[in-house]
Amino acid sequence: MGATRVTNETDAADPLARLASLPGVEAAVEGVREAVDRVYGHRVMRRRGPEVAAEGALRGARGSAALDGADWALEEVRRRGDFGTDDEARTVGAALRLTAEAGQLLDVWRASPSRVLARLHLVAAGGTAPGDTVGRPRRADEPVSEPALAALDAPPPPDAVAARLGALGQLLVAGSDAPGLVKAAVVHGELLALRPFGTRNGLVARAAERVTLIAAGLDPKGVAPAEVGHAELGREAYLDALRAYLSGAPEGVARWIAHCGRAVELGARESVAVCEALQRGAG
């Protein structure tokens, strides 16, 4: 299933890099690189980069929450101060906390991805799940409660989850010559495939994708929010591409990577629009 199946079927020392040769992936990588370069090359980034990054984080959080069923207008997300009133508000609040946290975890991510995932779940699930289940993978007697992912096949049992998370962590810590897009798409896809936590797996997976894009150096300032693109492409397209990844077939993995690439491109386009608005004095 997913990247783990590809890994087990090859003897390559760098199985993530091997994915870059799948049909369509090279074009997706190049498209992302060009889109991200357009943001970083914008004259506004030289003077107001932190503002662009902050706006990207806000819009990314809105997009991630929308995929989990809390599809709020951007201005509603911007103006609200209380995110504990109902399920949708708590989802938006969790997404905002995660995007704020993502940029603080890079050093830990490079050494111990599992610690970062535990932290992300703690941040996402705080106050919405039993305290003894937060920040750790689910146990055999603990179900996954994730309505936004309910249309997928059931996730693997906890023992398989532990093995695959360990394998993914080892790949990331060992380092890879794979493009940042490939790394981020595999992290995102594996976490959605495994759903290691009882709740909030979608939010955590998208935050981990953000961390990976930043850590890989593809988007070091976080100004190409993939979450924006995933939301724009829509939940059905998101789930369809994920099902292709879950098939474990090379063409399915390639389709998911290309889908994630398109999401990053759309996120970058959004930040170019933010730069243009700031340049006009509208931001």
Side-chain angles (χ1 to χ4, degrees):
M1 188 182 286
T4 301
R5 178 177 292 182
V6 174
T7 299
N8 291 340
E9 290 175 352
T10 70
D11 295 324
D14 189 351
L16 291 179
R18 182 72 174 262
L19 299 179
S21 66
L22 292 175
V25 172
E26 183 178 355
V29 169
E30 184 59 29
V32 165
R33 184 179 297 113
E34 291 176 359
V36 172
D37 284 349
R38 280 194 290 274
V39 184
Y40 282 88
H42 199 287
R43 60 188 300 177
V44 168
M45 282 294 296
R46 293 194 295 271
R47 298 178 290 106
R48 304 178 72 174
E51 292 176 67
V52 179
E55 186 66 19
L58 180 73
R59 295 178 185 221
R62 193 216 72 82
S64 190
L67 288 170
D68 263 24
D71 192 1
W72 289 14
L74 179 62
E75 291 310 312
E76 177 71 4
V77 178
R78 196 189 304 279
R79 74 169 186 82
R80 283 285 288 267
D82 180 5
F83 295 99
T85 55
D86 54 51
D87 287 345
E88 284 197 7
R90 284 188 284 272
T91 296
V92 174
L96 287 167
R97 292 192 302 272
L98 284 170
T99 55
E101 190 81 6
Q104 312 302 315
L105 299 170
L106 300 182
D107 290 341
V108 182
W109 178 254
R110 295 182 179 105
S112 179
S114 63
R115 287 178 56 198
V116 171
L117 294 177
R119 174 62 185 170
L120 292 175
H121 188 250
L122 179 67
V123 169
T128 64
D132 64 342
T133 69
V134 173
R136 64 159 176 80
R138 55 188 165 82
R139 296 171 181 155
D141 59 343
E142 295 171 348
V144 174
S145 177
E146 193 111 19
L149 301 175
L152 300 175
D153 290 342
D159 56 345
V161 169
R164 285 177 58 176
L165 277 180
L168 178 64
Q170 288 172 7
L171 285 175
L172 294 171
V173 172
S176 171
D177 291 329
L181 170 64
V182 172
K183 296 176 188 176
V186 168
V187 167
H188 189 170
E190 281 294 285
L191 291 174
L192 290 175
L194 299 177
R195 280 153 279 170
F197 305 108
T199 60
R200 302 295 197 200
N201 290 286
L203 291 177
V204 168
R206 291 184 290 275
E209 179 184 48
R210 170 179 282 269
V211 173
T212 308
L213 289 168
I214 295 171
L218 176 60
D219 181 21
K221 296 182 180 179
V223 294
E227 306 97 325
V228 168
H230 286 304
E232 184 172 336
L233 292 168
R235 187 189 297 180
E236 287 307 312
Y238 183 69
L239 293 177
D240 284 347
L242 177 60
R243 290 187 186 97
Y245 180 86
L246 296 179
S247 74
E251 59 271 20
V253 176
R255 180 181 168 191
W256 170 251
I257 294 170
H259 184 87
C260 291
R262 182 57 181 153
V264 176
E265 289 184 45
L266 291 171
R269 186 181 70 180
E270 184 92 349
S271 285
V272 169
V274 169
C275 288
E276 294 294 326
L278 289 170
Q279 185 167 274
R280 293 192 303 269

